Amino acid sequence: MPERTSTTSPGKQPDGPPDADPLGWLAAAARQRSEAGLHRVLRPRAPRPRPGDTPGDAPGNAALPAQGSLQPWTDGDLLLDLAGNDYLGLARHPAVIEGGIAALRAFGAGSTGSRLVSGTTTLHGDLEAALAEHLGFASALVFSSGYAANLAMITALTGPGDLVVSDEHNHASLVDACRLSRADVVVTPHADVDAVDKALTTGTWRRAFVLSDSVFSADGDLAPLAALHGVVRRHGAVLLVDEAHGLGVVGDGGRGALAAAGLAGQPDVIATVTLSKSLGSQGGAVLGPAALRDHLIDTARTFIFDTGLAPACAGSALAALRLLTERPQLPEQVRRRAHEIAAATGAPEPAGAVVSVVLGDPERAVGVAAACREAGVAVGCFRPPTVPAGTSRLRVAARADLTDADVARAVGVITGSIARFPER
């Protein structure tokens, strides 16, 4: 029988009394985070009042604005939202909202159970078919979140004796999936194809998988997918790609970076997507050959033991995907806005909607982001552990529904706020 790991708290001596407050260490940890500029704050987002409402009116029945980039701020002014991930501005589109409402009326508020019990509706099947067709894969399987989809993709395919080669800048959901996989994991330098090749060449393995974001969520750059696939094919491995920031933004009609590279539907390529960014809803999906879908239904724990995606989310995502199909110019619009913001702020050229303005010090990044918000523009603020130490930054999310005036306002506020906080 294996030796039991001690569960005593750090303050308890071997023969002494237990701590009076076994969670007292949390206060000290909070102080350390605050001193390092790493304390986070939740800012609830209120609905925009409808015309005729007065301050203090109950917001529960407020009408939703047609332009999703504007959110309530102060004294009736509107906050320009460049922090969220609604890249195409569809979260508040009337057709997307109506898709969710129709699903609520048809199926109820929740899916009522796991997908294998009572949580699968005809709407889930319609959404899966539409996702597979749009992204160029044989099949898709919908999950309750993109996080759950990534956990499923990796943990259901890998195990002891397998190898996973993962880019060091991959999203936290991919990192956590690697930790749960029970496979050998090699983390390679960012976008280093030679390092991936070396990892696959070294040692022995049963099955091997190369794991990467398509567009990286913090840096906004594009993975070298064609080169990675060449290495994968040469070694008989499989390429796993998270298209969370590619769907709706990259490639012809927003079909993603894999389709743009000619890799969608290849027998050694598997993709995941989220429904919470360009599609303005919530949920995720894994895409690949039909045999993969069958395998995940039978073995993926985040599918078998998780409540299915709510019908309203499925309905809204399907409506948004149909809008994207009808309006293939939307991806080009968001890319153009991202390029404009990057050029004006001195940020690297973005591959998609994410513009990364690196400031270095976390306190400086927090100060600049707060100054932007005070001036009416919300931007993301990424600090460790989300990004490496010394690379704290503003994360600015461009949107297809931004106007010329919106971009000019955002650029002026961002550059002016940066000037208020010079480098130390």
Side-chain angles (χ1 to χ4, degrees), residues 134-137 225 243 250-252 254-265 269 271:
H134 184 77
L135 289 157
F137 286 85
L225 295 178
E243 285 268 36
V250 178
D252 182 34
R255 298 180 187 277
L258 286 169
L263 301 177
V269 174

Side-chain angles (χ1 to χ4, degrees), residues 350-417:
V354 176
V355 179
S356 182
V357 184
V358 177
L359 299 175
D361 181 73
E363 292 184 356
R364 185 184 184 215
V366 171
V368 173
C372 288
R373 190 176 187 89
E374 290 170 5
V377 176
V379 296
C381 178
F382 277 24
R383 297 163 283 165
T386 306
V387 295
T391 68
S392 293
R393 68 197 64 188
L394 303 183
R395 181 186 183 274
V396 184
R399 311 165 61 97
D401 60 349
L402 293 177
T403 65
D404 290 342
D406 289 334
V407 173
R409 174 185 171 192
V411 167
V413 167
I414 292 169
T415 55
S417 298

Side-chain angles (χ1 to χ4, degrees), residues 60-90:
N61 60 354
L64 294 169
Q67 185 173 352
S69 63
L70 300 175
Q71 302 297 344
W73 182 32
T74 58
D75 300 326
D77 291 329
L78 293 174
L79 183 70
L80 182 61
D81 179 15
L82 301 183
N85 294 321
D86 184 20
Y87 298 144
L88 302 184
L90 297 180

